[in-house]
Every structure is written in structure tokens, then in C-alpha cells.
């Protein structure tokens, strides 16, 4: 089974299915999203969508109100294609720990979703993920995915590693290979057994090669579609691996175990 471990809702969702089919991807982890760069028809409309992205990844989109449309779109995509998408749901990080626990219980576990994410704490505030980790621990091995590219900082990655060590039953996934801090991310994930590293948005090919070499059992193929392309992301992994067990694990075996699909 080939599993794209990182993607966002597309408009229309059928375009996403076509990308997965073209890449030979069986299933994709699907996150909700406020920005939709795939809707842009030119530079100005793309700027508007990317401004929304800046708000989201900068942690300025907290509060339940800012999530409702994204949650609705996610639910619709999951209902339309339950055989292709594995649903994750984010939670606002500015809520009290009690409210976060309630939302995880009701809106993640209660809806049959497979994990929490993609979380986007403000830069320098990865500590806000702690109540989510606590709530995930209450439900066993419920994976948590945190945005890894800018504006996430190297210190944020270290904070996340400390949280992972404090909640070792919770698989904590750093997305986008940790962005420009990819060497720090590889080292931290390698040394923290409950952490995983998703490989999309790599700036250099040898970052993917090194990550797989250092942590072959905890690296995950992902595209970050629509920002990335599943076919290109898969080709990147295949370019730096040989046919066999390691490639199979990175392209889907590890994700399948993490998601409880096998």
C-alpha cells in the first residue's frame, strides 16, 4: 500500500483523486485547510491564498470560528472518498486544556478519525502542543502531526522532542522534513523513539536521502499537496532508495502501521 502521509483538502476534491491515481498512491492522510492555492488563477489571487496560509502557519488562525469551514470541507471530502483518504483533524491551540481534551474526544476519536493535525503553533510556542499530546495520550497511540517548515524554528523542534519524550505513547510526526532546520529535525527524530519525520517540501535531495538512511523505520513519504505533487514526492523517495523493504516502509508500510491500517 502506497500512502501519502501529508495532504490537504483540494477544491475540487476530484482533482486530488486524479493526482493520487497518476502517482499510484492508494491512500492519503488528509488535513483540513483554510488556504486553497489550487483555486488561484493568477498571481494576485495566489497572493490572497498565501496570505491565508501565512496566518495559519503563523498561529494566527486560532479560535473555533476560523476552523469551521476547513472542518466542513474535510468532512465532505472524507465522506465522498472514504476508501482514499485517512482523516486527521486539527484543534485550536488557544483553548483551555479541558476544551482541547473535549474536542479530541468528540471531534477526532468520536468521528473515527485517525489522528490530530496538522497543528500550527506560533513560532517559538511549540509548547502549546502539550495539552494536545496529553489528550492524545489518553486515547492510546493517536498520532499528532505538527507543521515543520517555517515559521517553525529549531527551538520549536527541540521543544517538540521534549514533549515527545514526555508522552512516549504518542507518535509525534514532524512534517515537511523540518524545513530549513532539516538536519536538526533528523537528529531529534533519530534520538527520540516516538517521533516520525514526514519528507515533503525538501529543499535538497540529499536531505531526503540522509533522513531515510538515519531513520529508515520512522520516515514517511508525503507530498504536502496541493503545495507539492504526489508523483514528484514519490519519485524523490524512489530516487534515493533501492527497491526493497526500506523503500516499501517509507512509501507506506510505516504509515499503515502508524494509522492502524494493518
Amino acid at each position: 500500500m502506497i500512502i501519502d502521509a501529508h495532504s490537504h483538502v483540494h477544491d475540487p476534491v476530484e482533482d486530488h483523486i486524479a493526482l493520487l491515481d497518476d502517482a499510484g498512491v492508494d491512500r492519503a492522510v488528509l488535513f483540513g485547510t483554510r488556504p486553497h492555492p489550487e483555486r488561484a488563477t493568477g498571481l494576485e489571487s495566489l497572493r490572497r491564498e498565501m496570505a491565508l496560509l501565512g496566518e495559519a502557519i503563523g498561529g494566527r488562525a486560532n479560535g473555533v470560528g476560523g476552523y469551521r469551514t476547513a472542518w466542513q470541507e474535510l468532512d465532505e471530502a472524507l465522506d465522498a472518498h472514504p476508501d482514499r483518504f485517512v482523516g486527521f483533524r486539527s484543534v485550536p491551540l488557544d483553548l483551555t486544556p479541558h476544551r482541547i481534551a473535549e474536542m479530541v474526544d468528540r471531534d477526532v476519536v468520536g468521528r473515527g478519525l485517525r489522528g490530530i493535525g496538522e497543528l500550527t503553533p506560533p513560532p517559538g510556542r511549540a509548547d502549546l502542543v502539550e495539552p494536545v499530546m496529553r489528550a492524545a495520550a489518553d486515547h492510546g497511540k493517536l498520532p499528532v502531526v505538527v507543521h515543520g517548515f517555517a515559521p517553525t524554528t529549531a527551538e520549536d523542534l527541540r521543544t517538540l522532542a521534549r514533549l515527545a519524550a514526555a508522552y512516549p505513547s504518542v507518535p509525534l510526526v514532524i512534517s515537511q522534513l523540518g524545513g530549513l532546520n532539516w538536519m536538526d529535525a533528523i537528529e531529534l527524530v533519530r534520538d527520540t523513539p516516538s517521533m516520525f519525520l514526514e519528507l515533503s517540501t525538501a529543499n535538497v535531495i540529499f536531505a531526503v536521502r540522509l533522513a531515510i538512511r538515519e531513520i529508515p523505520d520512522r520516515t514517511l513519504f508525503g507530498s504536502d499537496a496541493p503545495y507539492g505533487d504526489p508523483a514528484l514526492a514519490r519519485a524523490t523517495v524512489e530516487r534515493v532508495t533501492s527497491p526493497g523493504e526500506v523503500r516499501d516502509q517509507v512509501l507506506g508500510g510505516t504509515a499503515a502501521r502508524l494509522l492502524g491500517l494493518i
Side-chain angles (χ1 to χ4, degrees), residues 154 157-158 176-191 197 203-204 206-208 210-211 214-215:
L157 295 178
R158 288 189 283 272
Q176 297 114 355
L177 226 169
L180 298 180
N181 301 303
W182 59 269
M183 285 188 283
D184 293 311
I186 292 171
E187 184 176 34
L188 290 166
V189 172
R190 182 196 64 194
D191 296 340
L197 189 60
N203 287 290
V204 288
F206 56 78
V208 178
L210 182 62
E214 291 287 327
I215 36 177

Side-chain angles (χ1 to χ4, degrees), residues 3-19:
I3 301 173
D4 182 344
H6 188 121
S7 70
H8 298 272
V9 173
H10 285 45
D11 181 21
V13 68
E14 288 73 22
D15 288 356
H16 194 179
I17 297 296
L19 288 174

Side-chain angles (χ1 to χ4, degrees), residues 15-224:
D15 288 356
H16 194 179
I17 297 296
L19 288 174
L20 297 176
D21 289 343
D22 184 56
V25 173
D26 299 295
R27 305 192 73 175
V29 171
L30 193 65
F31 305 121
T33 182
R34 292 177 62 222
H36 282 281
E38 74 280 6
R39 291 174 179 166
T41 57
L43 184 58
E44 291 307 312
S45 56
L46 180 59
R47 286 187 188 279
R48 289 193 292 271
E49 297 297 336
M50 296 305 283
L52 287 175
L53 176 64
E55 290 181 4
I57 64 177
R60 301 189 300 276
N62 287 326
V64 173
Y67 285 75
R68 292 195 187 281
T69 299
W71 287 337
Q72 181 180 347
E73 291 177 346
L74 175 64
D75 288 343
E76 291 171 355
L78 295 174
D79 288 343
H81 299 279
D83 59 327
R84 301 303 297 275
F85 295 132
V86 179
F88 273 51
R89 190 177 178 114
S90 190
V91 297
L93 298 177
D94 60 346
L95 301 178
T96 65
H98 178 70
R99 286 285 309 283
I100 287 174
E102 284 184 336
M103 292 191 73
V104 169
D105 184 61
R106 180 186 67 239
D107 299 322
V108 179
V109 178
R111 290 173 177 264
L113 302 186
R114 298 283 181 163
I116 306 168
E118 178 188 16
L119 301 178
T120 55
R125 293 304 315 276
D127 59 292
L128 293 174
V129 174
E130 193 276 338
V132 180
M133 296 290 289
R134 192 187 320 161
D138 289 340
H139 292 281
K141 297 182 177 181
L142 190 65
V144 174
V145 178
V146 182
H147 178 80
F149 208 89
T152 300
T153 67
E155 182 56 37
D156 285 324
L157 295 178
R158 288 189 283 272
T159 298
L160 292 170
R162 289 192 291 270
L163 289 176
Y167 295 92
S169 67
V170 178
L172 178 60
V173 181
I174 303 300
S175 66
Q176 297 114 355
L177 226 169
L180 298 180
N181 301 303
W182 59 269
M183 285 188 283
D184 293 311
I186 292 171
E187 184 176 34
L188 290 166
V189 172
R190 182 196 64 194
D191 296 340
T192 312
S194 59
M195 292 182 79
F196 293 75
L197 189 60
E198 183 269 311
L199 300 171
S200 66
T201 325
N203 287 290
V204 288
I205 190 71
F206 56 78
V208 178
R209 180 183 294 113
L210 182 62
I212 294 172
R213 183 179 301 161
E214 291 287 327
I215 36 177
D217 58 337
R218 287 183 285 124
T219 41
L220 305 167
F221 151 64
S223 69
D224 201 8

